[in-house]
């Protein structure tokens, strides 16, 4: 058993991380000393409470992933040592505090050594896609596809590849998301995937094969956003604004085995930070900035007092300034490009 303290829990100020995994709660890692293969892809399991794990470990072993990372809850676990002995290729991560969806994926990316990692939930099953080696090969950029650009530097096609997701009855779910604006608010519409390489704004329920290098370079998920929907939206829209791509692979299919997750679109504090980071910045030629004239509108919409709103605005303005050269377009251009498809 080994204990890692790579960071600290969120402070009261909830400052935006400026580097990947700048803020991460302490955790303990158990097992995972063996490596099954060297395919270039590992699996990450995000555990739902109260579900048996042995069957999914057996299934992932058969697929041939390099390693498996199992993100546990912070509740007491009495079977971890026994499971670690039975499945030596699984590394169990036990956070000291409960962490949100994006925080769990960030934590897994910190522990993974493979260039690709496949995030699934413990109540899911891979029903098509072939071996782990085949999955990695499918996402590799061959000589004909490579044009020598920086986007191809990692050797893989995109930031995240999402599978076709099915219900327990094997009905295809509308898991592809697209941004739309309505009355100056951004909202998400969902559709079923129909074409190979079809774009999606973000990975549904966090599920997908991530390019670890790109994921870290993009900053991962913002764990200060406590609302899952806006955390996913923040990751996906930031990826689009910064020139990355999230798209579907129809040969890869997963199914839920239990209750289907539901999306909560409530507009609350997480939305306001999402707004400042992604919608409010103005793009000029080759950089972005968050102009001061955005503040009055933000103050009115936020419902916060003047000083709290100003502190939040300054924090986001500082973050935009630090990353200003990474923008490739603004949010309006992103939504416009989707509506033209």
């Amino acid at each position: 058993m080994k204990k890692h303290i790579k960071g600290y829990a969120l402070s009261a100020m909830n400052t935006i991380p400026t580097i990947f995994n700048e803020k991460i709660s302490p955790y303990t890692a158990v097992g995972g000393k063996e490596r099954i293969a060297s395919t270039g892809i590992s699996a990450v399991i995000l555990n739902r409470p109260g579900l048996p794990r042995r069957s999914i470990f057996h299934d992932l072993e058969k697929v041939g992933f390099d390693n498996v990372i199992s993100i546990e809850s912070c509740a007491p676990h009495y079977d971890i040592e026994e499971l670690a002995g039975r499945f030596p290729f699984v590394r169990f991560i036990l956070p000291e505090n409960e962490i949100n969806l994006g925080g769990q994926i960030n934590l897994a990316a910190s522990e993974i050594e493979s260039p690709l990692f496949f995030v699934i939930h413990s109540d899911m099953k891979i029903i098509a896609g072939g071996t782990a080696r085949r999955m990695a090969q499918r996402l590799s950029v061959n000589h004909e596809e490579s044009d020598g650009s920086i986007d191809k530097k990692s050797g893989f096609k995109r930031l995240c590849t999402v599978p076709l997701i099915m219900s327990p009855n094997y009905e295809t779910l509308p898991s592809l998301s697209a941004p739309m604006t309505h009355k100056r608010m951004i909202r998400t519409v969902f559709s079923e995937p129909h074409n190979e390489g079809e774009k999606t704004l973000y990975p549904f329920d966090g599920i997908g094969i991530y390019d670890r290098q790109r994921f870290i370079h993009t900053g991962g998920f913002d764990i200060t956003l406590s609302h899952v929907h806006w955390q996913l939206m923040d990751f996906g829209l930031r990826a689009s604004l910064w020139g990355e791509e999230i798209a579907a692979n129809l040969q890869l299919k997963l199914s839920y085995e239990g209750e289907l997750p539901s999306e909560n679109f409530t507009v609350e504090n997480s939305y306001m930070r999402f707004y400042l980071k992604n919608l409010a910045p103005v793009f000029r030629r080759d950089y972005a900035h968050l102009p001061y004239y955005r503040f009055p509108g933000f103050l009115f919409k936020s419902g916060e007092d003047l000083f709290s709103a100003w502190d939040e605005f300054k924090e986001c303005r500082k973050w935009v300034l630090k990353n200003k050269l990474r923008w490739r377009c603004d949010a309006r251009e992103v939504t416009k490009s989707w509506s033209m498809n």
Side-chain angles (χ1 to χ4, degrees):
M1 179 183 294
K2 57 179 179 175
K3 191 169 185 177
H4 297 242
I5 304 181
K6 294 188 176 180
Y8 45 87
L10 288 179
S11 67
M13 288 188 66
N14 245 0
T15 54
I16 304 169
T18 55
I19 59 173
F20 174 72
N21 253 2
E22 178 184 348
K23 298 182 177 182
I24 183 171
S25 296
Y27 64 94
T28 300
V30 180
K33 295 181 179 180
E34 289 190 10
R35 187 182 181 95
I36 300 176
S38 297
T39 63
I41 182 170
S42 290
V44 172
I45 305 172
L46 307 183
N47 283 283
R48 313 272 198 201
L51 293 174
R53 279 92 63 76
R54 292 176 182 271
S55 60
I56 193 169
F57 293 153
H58 281 298
D59 290 344
L60 296 178
E61 184 177 19
K62 291 177 183 176
V63 175
F65 290 102
D66 293 356
N67 291 101
V68 176
I69 299 289
S70 181
I71 305 293
E72 307 293 319
S73 69
C74 65
H77 296 277
Y78 304 103
D79 60 348
I80 294 297
E81 294 287 356
E82 186 270 330
L83 287 172
R86 172 63 186 86
F87 303 99
F89 56 89
V90 180
R91 186 177 306 160
F92 297 88
I93 304 298
L94 289 73
E96 289 189 6
N97 308 298
E98 288 294 347
I99 52 178
N100 54 37
L101 175 71
Q104 293 180 54
I105 299 174
N106 286 0
L107 183 51
S110 297
E111 283 283 330
I112 285 291
E113 297 178 358
S114 304
L116 297 172
F117 62 98
F118 191 178
V119 174
I120 65 174
H121 291 272
S122 57
D123 59 350
M124 305 192 79
K125 189 171 186 177
I126 301 175
I127 57 178
T131 64
R133 186 178 302 279
R134 184 71 188 99
M135 293 177 193
Q137 289 173 344
R138 214 177 274 133
L139 297 180
S140 298
V141 176
N142 58 40
H143 180 71
E144 288 73 21
E145 293 173 313
S146 178
D147 59 4
S149 70
I150 190 171
D151 290 338
K152 300 291 191 271
K153 193 164 74 170
S154 74
F156 298 101
K157 293 182 178 179
R158 59 183 70 96
L159 167 63
C160 183
T161 298
V162 300
L164 189 149
I165 302 176
M166 311 186 85
S167 71
N169 297 323
Y170 299 108
E171 298 170 334
T172 302
L173 299 179
S175 57
L176 298 190
S177 53
M180 293 188 68
T181 52
H182 179 67
K183 296 181 179 180
R184 296 188 178 182
M185 291 280 291
I186 192 166
R187 64 186 183 94
T188 311
V189 293
F190 292 92
S191 62
E192 295 181 11
H194 296 291
N195 302 308
E196 184 65 31
E198 195 170 353
K199 289 201 308 179
T200 184
L201 181 61
Y202 61 80
F204 181 82
D205 211 8
I207 303 159
I209 300 178
Y210 296 79
D211 180 327
R212 183 176 181 271
Q213 179 178 316
R214 278 194 171 101
F215 181 78
I216 291 174
H217 184 66
T218 310
F221 289 93
D222 183 349
I223 61 173
T224 69
L225 300 177
S226 58
H227 193 289
V228 172
H229 174 69
W230 299 115
Q231 188 179 63
L232 290 168
M233 285 281 284
D234 171 75
F235 173 75
L237 189 52
R238 180 181 357 121
S240 294
L241 291 170
W242 291 5
E244 293 289 356
E245 181 184 79
I246 303 172
N249 182 286
L250 301 187
Q251 298 176 66
L252 185 60
K253 299 180 182 179
L254 273 68
S255 67
Y256 283 101
E257 296 190 301
E259 185 177 348
L260 298 177
S262 58
E263 288 267 353
N264 180 352
F265 306 101
T266 304
V267 174
E268 39 84 270
N269 290 341
S270 290
Y271 171 79
M272 299 314 299
R273 175 163 287 194
F274 160 80
Y275 164 79
L276 288 178
K277 290 177 63 185
N278 298 279
L279 305 182
V282 175
F283 182 69
R284 291 287 184 267
R285 295 183 181 178
D286 59 354
Y287 73 96
H289 72 110
L290 180 55
Y292 286 117
Y293 66 73
R294 296 289 199 197
F295 178 68
F298 168 71
L299 174 64
F300 176 75
K301 293 177 181 178
S302 70
E304 297 181 4
D305 63 82
L306 175 63
F307 296 105
S308 297
W310 179 244
D311 286 343
E312 178 77 1
F313 187 86
K314 284 197 304 181
E315 173 68 22
C316 290
R317 195 170 190 273
K318 179 181 176 182
W319 180 85
V320 172
L321 179 64
K322 181 178 179 62
N323 295 287
K324 66 178 183 178
L325 296 179
R326 305 185 69 175
W327 261 258
R328 297 292 178 267
C329 62
D330 58 21
R332 180 181 297 181
E333 189 65 29
V334 171
T335 55
K336 181 181 177 181
S337 68
W338 242 282
S339 65
M340 293 174 63
N341 291 335

